[in-house]
Amino acid sequence: MTVAYQTRFGSLKHYEKGHVEPIDDDVRHYAFSNCFEIASISRPYEKVVFGQNQIYVLETLRAEGTSPWYTCAHDEFALVMDGDVEVHLVQLDASQTVADKEKNGAVLVKGEPQGRKMGWMKLSRGHQGLLPKNTAYQFRSAGDPGVIVLQSCKGELSVEKWTEICQAH
């Protein structure tokens, strides 16, 4: 007997939220959210936490237009789930890097980034880019909004909306 499976990819324009179906438990013991739904109700480049393990988080960002410049004391990863996103990188001069090497999460770069331009990446659905520590990065998305999942640490720009984004019953 052959079982046929069909893979369906979600997008910001077309997604199914899905839900938790406990077999013999209470659904309140689980958290469930959908990055496309989160991006559909978020402001451009708002960093909405939708997964957390101690200090580590997954954030959903609605990629629309041009983001502010960010930097971080640790590496981050950006995974594009929908759309086309350019990521521009500048190796920051020491005066603009995060002074606290233990600081978690991204921060805004004060003013225009000063330093050597490193280049840019063009990421589409399924592409992942490394955002190196002490590097300024800016997302640019032309056309329809896209969705980015950012792997980082929870920081001052992380936004938590658990009651708005998780299945309640």
Side-chain angles (χ1 to χ4, degrees):
M1 180 171 153
T2 303
V3 177
Y5 294 98
Q6 180 180 10
T7 301
R8 293 181 296 164
F9 294 101
S11 69
L12 193 55
K13 287 182 178 176
H14 185 75
Y15 64 89
E16 294 177 24
K17 179 174 180 167
H19 57 275
V20 174
E21 292 184 23
I23 295 172
D24 188 22
D25 203 352
D26 189 329
V27 73
R28 292 176 298 175
H29 296 154
Y30 302 90
F32 180 84
S33 58
N34 180 301
C35 66
F36 300 112
E37 180 187 46
I38 295 167
S40 75
I41 59 173
S42 296
R43 296 186 317 269
Y45 301 106
E46 181 179 35
K47 295 172 174 258
V48 180
V49 176
F50 75 104
Q52 182 173 353
N53 182 6
Q54 299 181 20
I55 64 169
Y56 303 102
V57 292
L58 294 173
E59 299 171 330
T60 294
L61 286 73
R62 178 186 180 97
E64 185 173 12
T66 301
S67 77
W69 286 95
Y70 301 101
T71 189
C72 199
H74 52 79
D75 293 344
E76 298 178 289
F77 290 90
L79 172 63
V80 172
M81 299 296 291
D82 189 19
D84 296 314
V85 179
E86 291 180 3
V87 185
H88 292 254
L89 301 167
V90 175
Q91 180 64 55
L92 286 174
D93 290 344
S95 63
Q96 286 187 307
T97 60
V98 179
D100 180 359
K101 296 185 183 329
E102 301 298 319
K103 186 169 182 68
N104 289 326
V107 297
L108 293 171
V109 174
K110 294 178 182 161
E112 286 298 309
Q114 304 298 313
R116 180 178 57 86
K117 289 184 179 179
M118 299 172 64
W120 59 278
M121 302 176 269
K122 183 171 184 175
L123 306 177
S124 297
R125 178 195 302 265
H127 294 160
Q128 185 176 30
L130 170 65
L131 310 173
K133 67 180 181 180
N134 296 322
T135 299
Y137 62 89
Q138 183 181 57
F139 298 114
R140 298 176 188 175
S141 177
D144 291 338
V147 178
I148 301 169
V149 169
L150 195 69
Q151 182 182 14
S152 185
C153 294
K154 190 164 133 183
E156 62 190 50
L157 298 177
S158 301
V159 175
E160 295 184 78
K161 301 177 172 182
W162 297 109
T163 57
E164 296 175 43
I165 66 170
C166 288
Q167 177 183 349
H169 54 275

